[in-house]
Amino acid sequence: MPDTLLPHSSLKPIRKVAVIGSGVMGGGIAAQAANAGLPVLLFDVTKAAAAAAIERLLKTVPAPFMRAENARLITPFGIDSDLDQLKDCGWIVEAIVEKLDVKQQLYSRIEAMMAADAIVSSNTSTIPLSALTANASAGFRKRFL
């Protein structure tokens, strides 16, 4: 079957992932992306907090990494100092506190830094998609899940 008939044929491959929020969920998502062999940018309030999260993942039982060396694929960053690094990421995962206004403020900052073809997703468990993206541009909403 020709590639043009495959439903995913027009999607750009994801070569780098950003995870914003290095708590339990964000850290776990970062570990799984690293397990898939992808470089991961892990963001927290500070670069030191993100680095501490990576160390915590290495000590977690059961281990989130299929191999401990996968942790080397994760690089820590600070939200306030390094958000410009998003420009190279094909997938940006938001996994911060469950507060709508905080998430919406972050999305505005993400949109200003992300690549034109990046996908953005939220790990929210309680806030409806329509509320999350209510203040976002049409272009951002089109690439948000």
Side-chain angles (χ1 to χ4, degrees):
M1 180 184 316
D3 287 342
T4 55
L5 296 179
L6 297 175
H8 64 282
S9 65
S10 64
L11 296 178
K12 180 180 173 185
I14 294 171
R15 302 198 191 291
K16 189 182 290 186
V17 175
V19 178
I20 304 175
S22 67
V24 172
M25 294 304 293
I29 293 165
Q32 293 311 309
N35 285 336
L38 295 169
V40 179
L41 312 184
L42 182 61
F43 289 83
D44 206 314
V45 175
T46 64
K47 184 176 183 176
I54 297 166
E55 290 303 316
R56 193 171 54 249
L57 287 168
L58 285 164
K59 297 174 185 172
T60 299
V61 177
F65 294 108
M66 296 170 80
R67 295 186 323 258
E69 60 264 21
N70 290 348
R72 290 183 291 201
L73 290 169
I74 304 176
T75 305
F77 288 98
I79 293 172
D80 288 336
S81 58
D82 304 310
L83 218 51
D84 61 323
Q85 298 297 314
L86 296 177
K87 68 185 179 301
D88 297 326
C89 297
W91 180 26
I92 301 165
V93 181
E94 169 271 308
I96 64 171
V97 64
E98 288 289 291
K99 292 187 178 182
L100 179 60
D101 61 327
V102 176
K103 288 179 182 288
Q104 288 176 335
Q105 289 170 16
L106 178 63
Y107 297 158
S108 176
R109 294 180 65 198
I110 289 171
E111 185 172 15
M113 301 292 182
M114 63 192 262
D117 57 354
I119 296 168
V120 181
S121 63
S122 176
N123 187 55
T124 189
S125 59
T126 61
I127 303 172
L129 175 71
S130 59
L132 288 171
T133 60
N135 299 331
S137 72
F140 185 87
R141 287 192 308 268
K142 182 179 177 183
R143 295 176 294 146
F144 186 86
L145 48 120

